[in-house]
Amino acid sequence: MFPMLDNGYVYLVDSRLSAYGDNTRWVLLIEVVGYNYRAGGHNGIENCLYFFGNCLPFEPGVQNFNFLFATDNSEDGETFGPEYRSKYLNPAIKSMLLNGEKIPVSHDPDFYTSRGIELKEAPSIHIWEFVRAINTDYRDSFLALEEEIRVRIPKDLPLILRLDEWFHNDLAAGEKPSVVETFQMIAKVLEKGDKTLYQPTEAPNNHWKNWPEGGRL
């Protein structure tokens, strides 16, 4: 399964693409950070690692063991809720844990506006609105650490290319990755081991604002 940035069950937050390879082996990793409302709460805040390649110790695509979860409640109490499977930030909570570290939780509308977030049901704050806002300040905490990637791929495989922005194909519209410039160029990069072969002409579209249907099912 190739990642859909407008997955109907996931509100997109962020994404990153990494290409690894040598003369005989290659791995393409696409990280998709988002909020899966079917899981709810902290279990819904996920980084899904999509792996493709010819040297993987598991089947390509998405696997249950390739999800990363970074958030948890602090001693303040339930970050979301308080009712079960609530989709809102708990207005009484002032902090939560991010990779075990305590961080502040803001309910100030200006905090969200300054990060390009329009609160759809203000003063209530949706979980995905909250995560999109804090991702601006804590992006690295939601993305995979290199050691988390290396336990899943050969440790000696060189990193050739890493992208924070790219043009992603629209799977929902039937657009296959093989027909878009991005992945045609990445295939050449992996074949030749030369990142300078990635010279895109199409504007990047992987920002969450370009995929408004995500999470709408």
Side-chain angles (χ1 to χ4, degrees):
M1 178 187 296
F2 204 76
M4 295 178 64
L5 298 188
D6 55 352
N7 185 326
Y9 299 108
V10 178
Y11 290 89
L12 181 64
V13 172
D14 200 359
S15 52
R16 185 174 71 171
L17 184 154
S18 303
Y20 299 80
D22 60 19
N23 291 334
T24 60
R25 303 171 298 170
W26 66 274
V27 169
L28 177 65
L29 165 62
I30 299 178
E31 300 175 59
V32 179
V33 179
Y35 176 68
N36 187 328
Y37 69 80
R38 292 184 298 176
H42 291 290
N43 290 331
I45 302 171
E46 62 187 29
N47 180 4
C48 181
L49 310 183
Y50 291 82
F51 284 97
F52 306 91
N54 66 353
C55 55
L56 298 173
F58 45 79
E59 289 297 314
V62 59
Q63 303 291 339
N64 288 337
F65 47 80
N66 287 336
F67 285 79
L68 303 178
F69 302 92
T71 67
D72 204 349
N73 297 324
S74 72
E75 71 276 10
D76 285 352
E78 297 288 335
T79 312
F80 312 112
E83 60 273 12
Y84 177 67
R85 291 180 70 87
S86 171
K87 61 181 180 179
Y88 301 108
L89 188 63
N90 186 343
I93 290 298
K94 302 301 181 184
S95 70
M96 77 166 194
L97 299 182
L98 181 59
N99 290 322
E101 298 293 327
K102 188 174 179 179
I103 67 167
V105 170
S106 177
H107 303 274
D108 182 356
D110 291 340
F111 173 83
Y112 295 88
T113 300
S114 68
R115 287 154 177 79
I117 310 297
E118 178 187 352
L119 300 178
K120 298 298 185 182
E121 295 184 52
S124 297
I125 301 167
H126 288 125
I127 296 176
W128 55 92
E129 293 170 340
F130 168 69
V131 179
R132 285 169 176 170
I134 66 171
N135 186 68
T136 303
D137 302 294
Y138 300 102
R139 182 173 190 254
D140 288 345
S141 296
F142 287 99
L143 294 170
L145 298 173
E146 194 63 28
E147 51 263 39
E148 292 175 313
I149 297 172
R150 291 295 176 174
V151 299
R152 294 168 165 87
I153 68 172
K155 290 181 171 57
D156 63 337
L157 197 62
L159 174 65
I160 301 175
L161 181 69
R162 177 159 282 164
L163 304 176
D164 294 316
E165 295 183 324
W166 70 92
F167 182 88
H168 197 81
N169 58 297
D170 187 351
L171 274 180
E175 189 174 50
K176 297 180 179 180
S178 59
V179 305
V180 300
E181 174 188 82
T182 300
F183 298 105
Q184 292 172 352
M185 287 185 174
I186 289 175
K188 292 179 181 178
V189 168
L190 289 168
E191 179 185 2
K192 302 296 185 181
D194 183 0
K195 67 179 181 181
T196 65
L197 295 175
Y198 182 72
Q199 298 289 338
T201 63
E202 294 181 288
N205 70 348
N206 63 308
H207 191 277
W208 61 263
K209 287 187 176 180
N210 295 316
W211 303 91
E213 295 306 310
R216 295 291 182 87
L217 282 181

